Amino acid sequence: MNTTSIDPSALIACPNCDLLHTARQVSEGERLRCARCGTKLASSRPNAIDRTLAAAVTNAILIVAALFFPFIQLDGGGTRQSATLIDAVSAFGTGLTAPLVLVVAAFIIVIPFMRASALVYTLWPLRFGRAPYKAAPQAFRLANTLKPWSMAEIFIIGVVVALVKIAGIAQVSLGPAFWMLTAVVLVLLLENHNFCRWTIWQVLGKHTQA
Amino acid sequence: MDNLASSRKTYASLTAREAGLVACTTCGLLDHPRQTCQRCGAALHSREPLSYQRTLAWLIAGMVFFIPANLYPMLITNTFGSEQKSTIIGGVIELIEYGSYFVALVVGVASILVPLAKFAVIGLLLASIRRAWKLNPHQRLHLYEITEFIGRWSMIDVFVVAILAALIQLDFVASVNPGFAAVSFALSVIFTMLSAQSLDQRLIWDSMNETDRHE
């Protein structure tokens, strides 16, 4: 086969196994899967950009708000203590474990917030039919790189485990910040369901390549 | 669901590399080989350079840090002046003694079983790329996807320690501090995640194609 005659824009390669497929417009609610390995190639959900943007805005607001409300309250021995997320993070601030401060803070606050902001930056102009901002490809790349490192949902389960561990020692109640972070997790699940990287790159590509 | 069966016939299992094209791993744009992707600006490689070596290096780092993570205390508890240290396994046993079997199971699976399984799976995948291990590629892909998905959950015990330390820090009756294992365990999880991310999955399918042709 004469390879130079192939038009790359008419094809999609499976990101997983590199097999070529003919590209075509995905109809609403449809999912394209690789013929060889079954990896999702593209999907189309109604209003994917709207929904992803809405989820990102919600998350950015919830994460910032969750910082300032008590996360858990502890009643024991006649005293009451409440800890915010910032307290939870700064508990690591002493001694040998100091570097862990940065890691924990990054996983539960900084990275989820950065990812939400990067998505808002990328999608906001697209939502209103305008050309994307100049750094949109970089921002969207960042959002995708950060995805596995955003660990709010794991933290929530960690909180539940911690509650079980100290249930015998003290009375513990969950504060508003816990529920805000739980909401972040639920919104992220919805966002994942609607998110199609390939579709958003196509929209971005129309502007950057033109 | 459309599995693109028709298009497969047209291009009869031709990969992008065989067609002289390169797919961007970041945005998926298919293009003729060039330095950077025209659409997203990421470096463009038909196969990630040194993928095997980088995966192996991160894997070794992850395994090395897993050792102190299990030997040193994860949690140091001071109650009325007496100090009690508990390791990862010690924490799980404590939970079983409290009767919280389900939570013990969650923590045990996340902090012991998952990391060990992840080391084994990445090791197997690396061996399969070098064709030292014959495994159905579909099974390999599932193994990879499962470990990629659950690998992050190992971090749960680190968060538990953080929350306990924050909650019981100022109390005069008891205080809880994270031990050295908390740091090494967090690093072990991070390195193993980096290892899985460094693995270019296309290499797995390349090795399968090559064996197919030899047979």
Side-chain angles (χ1 to χ4, degrees), chain B residues 30-48:
Chain B
L30 196 62
D31 206 346
H32 296 286
R34 59 178 90 237
Q35 289 281 304
T36 53
C37 175
Q38 296 281 89
R39 181 156 71 184
C40 73
L44 208 53
H45 300 288
S46 179
R47 299 292 179 267
E48 291 304 320

Side-chain angles (χ1 to χ4, degrees), chain B residues 115-136:
Chain B
L116 290 176
K118 217 178 161 182
F119 297 147
V121 168
I122 297 174
L124 276 181
L125 290 174
L126 285 175
S128 79
I129 288 173
R130 289 283 146 110
R131 267 163 279 142
W133 183 276
K134 297 220 166 164
L135 202 64
N136 177 328

Side-chain angles (χ1 to χ4, degrees), chain A residues 3 8 16-20 22 24 33 36-37 88 92 96 107 141 148 150 153-154 157-158 164 166 201 205, chain B residues 1-2 7 13-17 26-27 30 39-41 47 138 141 152 155-156 162 166 178 180 201 205 209:
Chain A
T3 53
N16 205 325
C17 75
D18 214 28
L19 189 73
L20 289 176
T22 316
R24 62 176 173 80
R33 288 184 183 274
R36 179 161 69 173
C37 69
F92 278 106
L96 193 64
F107 284 155
R141 255 167 67 188
S150 160
E153 74 275 32
I154 299 164
I157 304 297
V164 171
I166 51 170
W201 276 120
Chain B
M1 197 192 298
D2 186 338
S7 53
S13 301
L14 193 66
T15 64
R17 178 150 82 169
T26 308
C27 77
L30 196 62
R39 181 156 71 184
C40 73
R47 299 292 179 267
H138 288 274
L141 177 70
R152 314 157 58 236
M155 209 52 111
I156 197 165
F180 180 65
Q201 297 167 74
W205 295 87
N209 272 355

Side-chain angles (χ1 to χ4, degrees), chain A residues 141-155:
Chain A
R141 255 167 67 188
L142 180 73
N144 288 324
T145 313
L146 292 179
K147 202 175 176 194
W149 303 101
S150 160
M151 299 190 177
E153 74 275 32
I154 299 164
F155 184 71

Side-chain angles (χ1 to χ4, degrees), chain A residues 124-207:
Chain A
W124 188 266
L126 300 180
R127 165 67 185 81
F128 298 101
R130 289 201 296 264
Y133 295 125
K134 212 175 154 200
Q138 285 90 324
F140 193 53
R141 255 167 67 188
L142 180 73
N144 288 324
T145 313
L146 292 179
K147 202 175 176 194
W149 303 101
S150 160
M151 299 190 177
E153 74 275 32
I154 299 164
F155 184 71
I156 290 292
I157 304 297
V159 172
V160 176
V161 173
L163 292 189
V164 171
K165 277 201 168 189
I166 51 170
I169 309 169
Q171 195 69 41
V172 181
S173 53
L174 297 164
F178 174 83
W179 299 111
M180 288 176 186
L181 219 60
T182 310
V184 169
V185 173
L186 294 176
V187 173
L188 278 175
L189 284 176
L190 285 175
E191 185 214 284
N192 264 336
H193 183 69
N194 290 304
F195 189 69
C196 176
R197 206 181 277 201
W198 195 77
T199 311
I200 294 171
W201 276 120
Q202 265 201 321
V203 177
L204 284 177
K206 271 179 208 152
H207 293 278

Side-chain angles (χ1 to χ4, degrees), chain B residues 8 21 70 125 198:
Chain B
R8 197 189 175 183
L21 301 171
N70 278 286
L125 290 174
S198 310

